[in-house]
Amino acid sequence: MTMKIEEKVFDKLAEILKKHNLSEIEYKYDNIKIKLASQPNNNVVTQISQGQNVSRETFSKEEKSSEPDWINHPGAVKSPMVGTCYLAPEPGANNYIALGDSVQEGQPLLIIEAMKVMNLIKAPKAGKVVHIAASNAEPIEFGQLLVVIE
């Protein structure tokens, strides 16, 4: 089958699949149908149909992702506990950090509330905030990625 489909179409469909926590998504245009299905083993199955011709491809999400592997980044700051994440010291206040900020070692990054105790999470090293994975007022698991500092 000789058809050219831009990779950004697959990236956008995969993004929608992940964002809305869907198990599969199907997109049709002209006589082409693209179907992406997420599997429990972290693989995505892609099926492309043009008329009667069908092509299937299975790939791992990591292989197709243009997103860096933040969880294994040397500057990854992970949660030391289970709790609720707060990005600011109090409601209505500015967040402790923003993407692109320079931080010093020991500077507050966020708060994790656990059992009614507010635990201040501080920068383990100086550097630039290149990724913020945590969201305000969201539950956090032990070992979950919070921030990446380079």
Side-chain angles (χ1 to χ4, degrees):
M1 169 168 32
T2 59
M3 73 175 106
K4 182 174 169 101
I5 300 173
E6 291 188 35
E7 189 172 329
K8 66 182 176 183
V9 172
F10 295 102
D11 292 342
K12 186 64 177 173
L13 289 172
E15 179 184 320
I16 293 168
L17 192 76
K18 180 179 177 184
K19 179 180 179 183
H20 297 286
N21 199 24
L22 302 172
S23 59
E24 67 180 47
I25 189 169
E26 188 172 287
Y27 179 70
K28 296 178 187 178
Y29 61 95
D30 292 334
N31 66 339
I32 298 172
K33 179 172 76 170
I34 300 172
K35 182 177 179 180
L36 271 71
S38 182
Q39 298 179 328
N41 59 0
N42 208 29
N43 286 342
V44 173
V45 175
T46 305
Q47 178 176 317
I48 305 170
S49 307
Q50 184 177 26
Q52 300 292 43
N53 298 326
V54 177
S55 168
R56 286 182 77 92
E57 178 185 352
T58 301
F59 59 90
S60 119
K61 289 180 184 174
E62 289 80 23
E63 291 172 10
K64 291 301 264 185
S65 176
S66 59
E67 181 89 8
D69 183 14
W70 294 121
I71 194 76
N72 293 315
H73 190 283
V77 178
K78 299 175 186 173
S79 178
M81 64 191 72
V82 174
T84 303
C85 175
Y86 296 103
L87 301 176
E90 60 187 40
N94 291 335
N95 290 351
Y96 284 109
I97 57 168
L99 199 58
D101 283 357
S102 291
V103 294
Q104 299 301 314
E105 183 176 346
Q107 178 179 334
L109 299 174
L110 49 86
I111 294 172
I112 297 179
E113 177 187 6
M115 299 178 66
K116 304 290 182 194
V117 176
M118 300 299 182
N119 300 282
L120 192 59
I121 306 302
K122 298 179 180 180
K125 67 177 191 172
K128 181 179 177 181
V129 177
V130 294
H131 182 69
I132 301 174
S135 298
N136 194 48
E138 292 294 320
I140 296 291
E141 295 294 325
F142 174 80
Q144 184 174 335
L145 180 66
L146 301 172
V147 176
V148 178
I149 300 171
E150 278 190 341

